[in-house]
Amino acid sequence: MGKVSYMKGVAPVAIPRENVLDNTLTLLREGYHYIPGRRRHFKSDIFQTRLLGQKVICIGGKEAAEVFYDEDKFTRIGAIPNRMKESLFGKNGVHVLEGNAHSHRKTMFMSLMTSERLSELTALTEKQWEVAIADWQQKRRVILFPEAEKIMCRIACEWAGVPLWANELSQRTRDLSAMIDAFGAIGPRHWQGRIARNRSERWIRRIIAQVRSGELKPREETALYTFAWHRDLQDRLLDLQTAAVELLNIVRPIVAVGRFVTFGALAINDFPETKEKLRVGDDDYIRMFVQEVRRYYPFGPFLGAKVRSNFKWTGHQFKKGTLVLLDIYGTNHDPDLWDKPDEFRPERFDEWEGSPFDFIPQGGGYDMGHRCPGEWITIDIMKVSLAFLANRIDYNVPKQNLDYSMVRMPSIPKSRFIMRDVAISS
């Protein structure tokens, strides 16, 4: 694709389009392959379709990601469907802000990402895996995915300063998992996510109210303290509901790391040569392995934004208010960006320079301020978790269905990765 075009007097180039009344059901049938498949069909990194009754432009690739994160051209306001706010993201959170309000709220999140706090997160992750293995050794069979989510829930709450009683761990984990699982869902999964969000918000609102009343006294460096006492640009405390939404926007993504950990275990199983390299304990290889898991396996399929004002890009006209979807999965598997993208090769990250626009498993745009603040958290937790699975325990992987759907969003191995006879490595 070419560079952005601002040439006046030049007729816009027609965007390839699907001549179908609505493609919502097709998107649900094809899942992660919907946008990449049409990019290949049209031989174009841009095409037009109709979803949920409205015109939508789909784009993909490095240059597409770069323009997508240009805040002069796109806004996130109105781009996230209400059904996703009601299940995954919540309402009035940082995801729907922009400009100074977004920057101010984002600073609240980034204040938690100090080296000291990330080191504490690493230590907590190691501790919780040790607690888990003590329990797993007593069981003949362990299903990794739900166990990993419980581990992540304990890590998230302890690191964020959120009180979590042992007798509520299962319910809180199920609720946070249901919120994540509602992404891209219709029917029962969506409604379970909405119910789970409502219950989780009530839980966190109550905790924040206890902080403000003095009943709870969290450490000042924790997310609970930071969000409970955060003031907006008008020097007002966040209302309880918004503060609860934002605190869940710290806790929920950490629980979501359980999916990456499960896919990491699948990679260790499917590509046994990587396990030997992980066992060497080379931090560089562990880092490369983690990044390749995030690139290779399906996590987020796409992101949305709306055109802020009319502009041309690569000769194509973008009109104000149009919904645009950025192809996340397809960009991470783009053969123009990645050599043999359908092969699992951690070494591809050996000399990777960290572009904010060609590797976007959790979004992109470092310079634009919209790249996920939880990305550092994800990487640190995954490094500890996958090194633990490769080096600290032995287990057998019985015959099971380890296939994962490219239609179900978000995806996960069908068996949830069953392990037998878990023991501490000798």
Side-chain angles (χ1 to χ4, degrees):
M1 295 183 67
K3 295 181 179 179
V4 179
S5 173
Y6 297 102
M7 296 175 62
K8 295 182 179 180
V10 177
V13 178
I15 297 175
R17 69 177 62 192
E18 294 189 283
N19 295 317
V20 179
L21 184 62
D22 193 277
N23 274 289
T24 304
L25 293 179
T26 305
L27 169 62
L28 294 174
R29 285 196 301 266
E30 298 183 13
Y32 291 88
H33 289 315
Y34 175 76
I35 300 180
R38 277 148 188 78
R39 288 171 58 198
R40 289 192 298 271
H41 172 75
F42 289 118
K43 297 180 181 179
S44 170
D45 281 345
I46 180 172
F47 68 92
Q48 180 179 314
T49 186
R50 291 190 68 83
L51 299 172
L52 296 174
Q54 66 175 315
K55 182 178 81 171
V56 177
I57 296 177
C58 300
I59 59 176
K62 182 178 179 180
E63 293 180 9
E66 189 168 359
V67 74
F68 183 84
Y69 284 100
D70 186 338
E71 292 188 342
D72 289 335
K73 297 179 177 60
F74 287 97
T75 175
R76 273 61 187 163
I77 294 178
I80 299 177
N82 282 331
R83 61 187 297 109
M84 289 183 63
K85 295 178 187 176
E86 292 164 345
S87 56
L88 183 65
F89 293 113
K91 296 182 177 180
N92 301 321
V94 67
H95 301 89
V96 298
L97 300 178
E98 60 180 359
N100 291 337
H102 178 270
S103 298
H104 184 68
R105 190 80 61 83
K106 187 74 170 282
T107 299
M108 175 181 70
F109 282 87
M110 298 309 294
S111 70
L112 305 171
M113 309 301 167
T114 64
S115 59
E116 293 81 6
R117 293 291 285 137
L118 292 175
S119 294
E120 182 178 338
L121 179 67
T122 297
L124 284 173
T125 303
E126 292 175 347
K127 182 185 79 172
Q128 291 300 339
W129 278 103
E130 294 286 354
V131 170
I133 187 58
D135 177 54
W136 291 1
Q137 290 183 96
Q138 311 304 315
K139 300 177 179 179
R140 179 163 176 76
R141 187 181 84 150
V142 171
I143 303 177
L144 178 60
F145 177 54
E147 291 294 320
E149 287 193 310
K150 285 184 180 180
I151 292 169
M152 297 303 136
C153 187
R154 290 196 296 262
I155 292 168
C157 289
E158 186 171 355
W159 188 71
V162 175
L164 181 68
W165 299 101
N167 62 2
E168 64 178 340
L169 171 62
S170 294
Q171 182 67 64
R172 300 309 177 198
T173 304
R174 283 196 301 269
D175 283 347
L176 291 162
S177 179
M179 289 158 57
I180 298 159
D181 207 42
F183 178 88
I186 58 175
R189 272 204 296 143
H190 169 71
W191 286 104
Q192 288 168 8
R194 289 182 65 167
I195 292 169
R197 168 158 286 281
N198 290 337
R199 185 161 45 224
S200 297
E201 288 178 352
R202 288 195 298 270
W203 167 50
I204 298 296
R205 284 200 306 268
R206 183 172 63 250
I207 290 172
I208 293 173
Q210 290 173 335
V211 172
R212 291 180 177 176
S213 71
E215 184 178 345
L216 282 178
K217 298 184 183 298
R219 291 159 48 204
E220 290 189 11
E221 62 269 26
T222 63
L224 175 56
Y225 182 94
T226 300
F227 292 10
W229 298 113
H230 178 77
R231 292 182 176 273
D232 63 18
L233 291 172
Q234 286 72 45
D235 199 35
R236 300 172 302 198
L237 288 175
L238 297 177
D239 62 83
L240 281 177
Q241 174 62 22
T242 301
V245 165
E246 297 297 42
L247 189 52
L248 284 171
N249 281 332
I250 282 286
V251 175
R252 171 187 47 79
I254 294 178
V255 174
V257 178
R259 288 181 184 268
F260 275 137
V261 170
T262 305
F263 277 123
L266 181 62
I268 293 171
N269 182 73
D270 286 350
F271 309 103
E273 69 278 4
T274 64
K275 185 172 185 178
E276 297 307 313
K277 295 177 182 179
L278 288 169
R279 282 191 159 176
V280 172
D282 183 344
D283 189 67
D284 284 340
Y285 186 79
I286 292 173
R287 173 189 55 80
M288 292 187 293
F289 182 85
V290 163
Q291 296 292 57
E292 182 67 345
V293 168
R294 297 173 67 229
R295 185 201 68 84
Y296 182 83
Y297 291 100
F299 193 67
F302 47 76
L303 291 172
K306 285 196 171 184
V307 177
R308 184 184 297 277
S309 56
N310 296 350
F311 72 94
K312 280 185 184 179
W313 176 64
T314 63
H316 301 296
Q317 183 71 48
F318 287 71
K319 293 185 179 180
K320 180 179 179 179
T322 302
L323 177 62
V324 176
L325 299 182
L326 173 65
D327 184 10
I328 298 296
Y329 180 81
T331 299
N332 289 333
H333 290 76
D334 192 328
D336 291 334
L337 302 175
W338 305 97
D339 181 40
K340 298 180 180 178
D342 294 327
E343 293 184 6
F344 187 84
R345 291 168 46 198
E347 289 81 2
R348 73 174 74 245
F349 284 97
D350 187 19
E351 297 182 358
W352 181 69
E353 296 180 353
S355 167
F357 303 114
D358 59 5
F359 179 49
I360 51 175
Q362 292 170 270
Y366 284 118
D367 298 335
M368 285 38 170
H370 278 279
R371 198 166 183 113
C372 176
E375 187 162 8
W376 298 335
I377 290 175
T378 298
I379 293 169
D380 285 352
I381 292 176
M382 286 183 68
K383 286 172 64 177
V384 173
S385 301
L386 297 180
F388 190 94
L389 289 173
N391 295 308
R392 302 287 295 281
I393 61 174
D394 294 319
Y395 54 88
N396 296 316
V397 181
K399 186 177 180 180
Q400 59 189 281
N401 188 349
L402 288 171
D403 293 340
Y404 52 91
S405 172
M406 295 300 293
V407 173
R408 188 189 197 279
M409 299 179 290
S411 189
I412 195 69
K414 292 181 180 178
S415 67
R416 274 51 175 177
F417 201 89
I418 299 169
M419 308 159 70
R420 286 190 181 274
D421 306 318
V422 180
I424 296 175
S425 294
S426 56

